[in-house]
Amino acid sequence: MRQSILFLLLIMMFSTSWAQTDSLKINIEINDEDGISQDKNTIQVFLTVKNDSHKKIDFTTQWSILTDDWKPLKTVSLSHSIKHTQQLRIDYPHFQFPKNGFYRIQAKVSSPSNQTSYERVIGINPEEITAPLDKKEDFDLFWKNAIDELSNVKPQYNIIPVLRDKNTKTNLFKVEMKSYLGKTVRGWLEVPKKKGIYPALLRVPGYQENMKPIDVAEDMIVFSFNTRDHGESDDSGDPRNWDMWVRGFDSEDDYYYKGLFLDCIRAMDFLATRQDVDPNRIAIWGGSQGGGLSFSTAALDNRVALCIADIPYMCEYEKYFEITYWQEVSTWFKSHPGSTWKTILNTLSYYDTKNFADKIECPVWMGIGLQDDVCPPSTSFVTYNYVQSEKEYTVYKNSQHWQPKGHYEMRFKQLRQFFNMDN
């Protein structure tokens, strides 16, 4: 997913509060707390334009509305004149969005010597978004057999104490275990210094992320776990690079994520062996790839008591590929001439979290960056909307493929409340 990083850097260049063209300072804003409209099909987006020069400037704005998969709906061009030191607010003309979903509102500002474009994504009734399931007839049998394969691998847990500063809240251990196909996966276990039985949090990695200890609580066990090809865990065969996620596109049994899904089950196996873990209070939490792993683990393993999925990947693949472009997929097609979108989507149907969602029995908390073009919100909401258990979501209207720091602080407070830790 190298292209996602480059794309993200480009977005970040234009994501500051104010951009400048000539002597015009321009900010695009959504006149709504979270950029999500409920029970109505309108929302307001506007530009604030400041003229810092000592002369009048004539400029135009071209507003465009598109679906989130880039289908144009309407374009309007407007002419403006702004005096020196003046500030204008320019609203997009009233528009009724045709159906529930996510939309791109773009503004191109053109002055005599410059042109700059801005974009904001907004949502209309996202809890009503749906897409057909593409679960194959053998879906449940496939995953039952996969878990049986994992159970035939002896975990051989190895727990190694790690010297740590005495002022930390917890004791630290490096954990090793055998997982699917005999690969050794590793993680960092943080255990309260006072003996007792505690709730546990399983942290799972985003794509290429190396999970590290976090030392956040003296009364919670935290297992920061690295699936294969992440952190110090074993590689799955080929050298680590940005195209790991397309490995095995032509076979559901050989696809890359089979190992990762099963690694997370093995991590749950490990926590279940701990006498100091309360088996009724185990949460899983991840972002991006980790968000998808949180969904799938909660569906496949009923020992999960709480699923926290941030900016989740592996949701509604057909829509996902209509919105995003990845060079890795194009390269796959070139090197596998027998592959088609149909064959790829057939494989991915076994890993699409929307097909797992109805199996989730525990509460689900989802966090979304509204401007996320790496894991678009419309795909995440398809999975979310298929979840039948108690659930809630949080949307950050200006965030792209990340969550603000305050989000993590909020979730840890909620986690403590959910597990009744402060009573």
Side-chain angles (χ1 to χ4, degrees), residues 213-276:
I214 54 176
D215 197 43
V216 294
E218 61 186 11
D219 54 357
M220 181 189 301
I221 290 175
V222 177
F223 188 29
S224 298
F225 176 65
N226 284 304
T227 55
R228 62 194 61 206
D229 301 290
H230 293 73
E232 296 183 20
S233 293
D234 285 0
D235 291 349
S236 58
D238 299 327
R240 299 183 189 188
N241 51 48
W242 284 102
D243 66 358
M244 292 189 304
W245 69 284
V246 304
R247 292 179 189 167
F249 253 175
D250 49 1
S251 167
E252 62 269 17
D253 201 48
D254 297 329
Y255 183 48
Y256 175 70
Y257 277 101
K258 182 178 181 181
L260 275 69
F261 281 27
L262 293 176
D263 289 345
C264 293
I265 302 296
R266 179 57 23 115
M268 288 293 300
D269 290 340
F270 168 70
L271 288 175
T273 68
R274 302 279 305 180
Q275 297 298 311
D276 51 4

Side-chain angles (χ1 to χ4, degrees), residues 52-107:
D52 283 349
S53 76
H54 297 287
K55 63 181 180 179
K56 182 183 76 170
I57 296 177
D58 296 322
F59 65 98
T60 62
T61 55
Q62 178 179 291
W63 292 94
S64 298
I65 294 184
L66 305 88
T67 62
D68 69 333
D69 55 355
W70 310 100
K71 297 180 178 68
L73 298 176
K74 186 175 182 179
T75 299
V76 174
S77 294
L78 303 170
S79 297
H80 312 274
S81 182
I82 184 169
K83 297 177 182 179
H84 67 90
T85 70
Q86 188 180 5
Q87 178 171 308
L88 294 178
R89 170 175 156 147
I90 303 169
D91 293 85
Y92 183 85
H94 179 69
F95 181 81
Q96 291 190 337
F97 295 94
K99 61 180 182 179
N100 302 321
F102 287 83
Y103 296 87
R104 302 177 187 276
I105 301 181
Q106 299 177 339

